[in-house]
Amino acid sequence: MLFDNHGRQINYVRIAVTDRCNLRCFYCMPEEGIQYMPKKDLLTYEEIVRLVTLLAQMGISKVRFTGGEPFVRKDFMRLVQSVSTINGITNIHLTTNGVLTAPHVKELQKAGVKSVNLSLDTLDKKRFESITRRDEFDNVMETLDLLLSEGITVKLNAVVMEGKNTEDILPLVTFTKSKLVSVRFIEEMPFNGKGNHNPTLHWNHHKILDHIRSAYPTLSKLKDEANSTSYNYAIPGHHGNVGVIAAFSRTFCGTCDRIRITAQGTLKTCLYDDGVLNIRDLMRAGVSDDELKATLLKAFKNRARDGFEAEQQRKTGRGVSESMSTIGG
Ligand code: SAM
Ligand code: SF4
């Protein structure tokens, strides 16, 4: 088992396979002027497989692919299939916006992907377009239905934004009455790629929960999975359930079990740090497997205590403002 310097077990890696995306979600990136990284700077699939193989040897068993949008990268399913055969990797998950996902749902199931996080901030087609700046609502809903019909667990990620979709909170909760989905309401974080850090949070986890409870007073707390980032609740008579993720308030750092790899191979040992080393550069300079494992271990033994400390230690000295598409959420 792999532990960090604060005694937290690390067993989960989140890998952004690209920073490119076919949506332009308001909270994630600006509408125009995005500078994508050159393709040669992305980790190749072979490099990702090598990295995951080493991480699995070190004690990591769970992988999540994210982005950008994973399905905009060519042959993404080839990567999923390769990683599914790595010894020690027992869980593969995916975070996707669902626009290009539908044709791959059966293959995902065959590759052993048991759970998919689908981003859906509203059930209103018009508001979907205003939030994502693209008219793709119907494709996302098709993906949702296919995932459910293939028996894949679905968590819907909904970022709560003042002035954008707070009227969608209750309809999304109502949606769980008939649909076997977990809707997780996420505090908006300032990872929006606009370069100016705006730390104002109108809707924190308390306010979101109070709002849900005002309409659903019978809401009852579920026992959360170990290392869960969401506080989860059941509603009597509903097939699905709801959760709240205090992503900006950072209440879950004490049990954080995950590391992140950006599309260009930067290791982040906290969502709020600005990268602790570049794995791609080491690999391309010819590092051996043992050397790479030793370097990774050193980084894992030097993690910030929580997201506040990680943010304070950023080399730029400024708060977070990069686009979430470079990190993967
Ligand atoms: N494109 C895929 C998608 O949207 O599901 C995967 C990448 S996206 C960056 C991963 C998750 O980050 C999404 O669920 C998205 O809602 C969330 N996210 C992006 N920007 C965010 C922000 N500023 N605050 C909170 N969550 C954010
Ligand atoms: Fe793309 Fe996901 Fe960011 Fe939306 S949240 S712009 S779908 S990467």
Side-chain angles (χ1 to χ4, degrees), residues 2-10 256 269 296-306 309 313:
L2 181 61
F3 290 94
D4 73 6
N5 45 319
H6 302 283
R8 297 172 294 196
Q9 191 186 350
I10 304 175
C256 180
T269 56
L296 291 169
L297 190 61
K298 199 165 153 209
F300 300 156
K301 294 288 182 193
N302 195 24
R303 279 178 99 197
R305 186 181 57 249
D306 56 33
E309 188 178 283
Q313 290 173 351

Side-chain angles (χ1 to χ4, degrees), residues 50 54 279 282-283 287-296:
R50 178 180 174 206
L54 297 181
I279 296 167
L282 292 175
M283 282 181 168
V287 72
S288 72
D289 287 354
D290 285 343
E291 283 165 344
L292 186 51
K293 283 202 268 188
T295 306
L296 291 169

Side-chain angles (χ1 to χ4, degrees), residues 14 21 25 27-28 66-70 95-98 117-119 121 157-159 186-192 247 324-325 327-329:
R14 301 172 59 105
C21 192
C25 301
Y27 47 79
C28 180
T66 173
E69 173 49 37
T95 302
T96 173
N97 63 30
N117 289 5
L118 190 62
S119 298
D121 309 299
N157 285 350
V159 180
I186 306 176
E187 289 179 351
E188 183 181 5
M189 297 174 271
F191 290 98
N192 48 36
M324 193 64 98
S325 67
I327 304 171

Side-chain angles (χ1 to χ4, degrees), residues 153 162 220 235 293:
T153 301
E162 173 70 13
S220 69
I235 300 169
K293 283 202 268 188

Side-chain angles (χ1 to χ4, degrees), residues 174-208:
T174 306
F175 196 57
T176 65
K177 189 169 171 54
S178 56
K179 295 273 183 194
L180 186 57
V181 293
S182 291
V183 176
R184 293 125 41 94
F185 296 99
I186 306 176
E187 289 179 351
E188 183 181 5
M189 297 174 271
F191 290 98
N192 48 36
K194 298 193 180 86
N196 50 337
H197 178 75
N198 175 8
T200 314
L201 177 68
H202 294 284
W203 283 76
N204 68 17
H205 58 292
H206 295 298
K207 186 167 170 176
I208 298 169

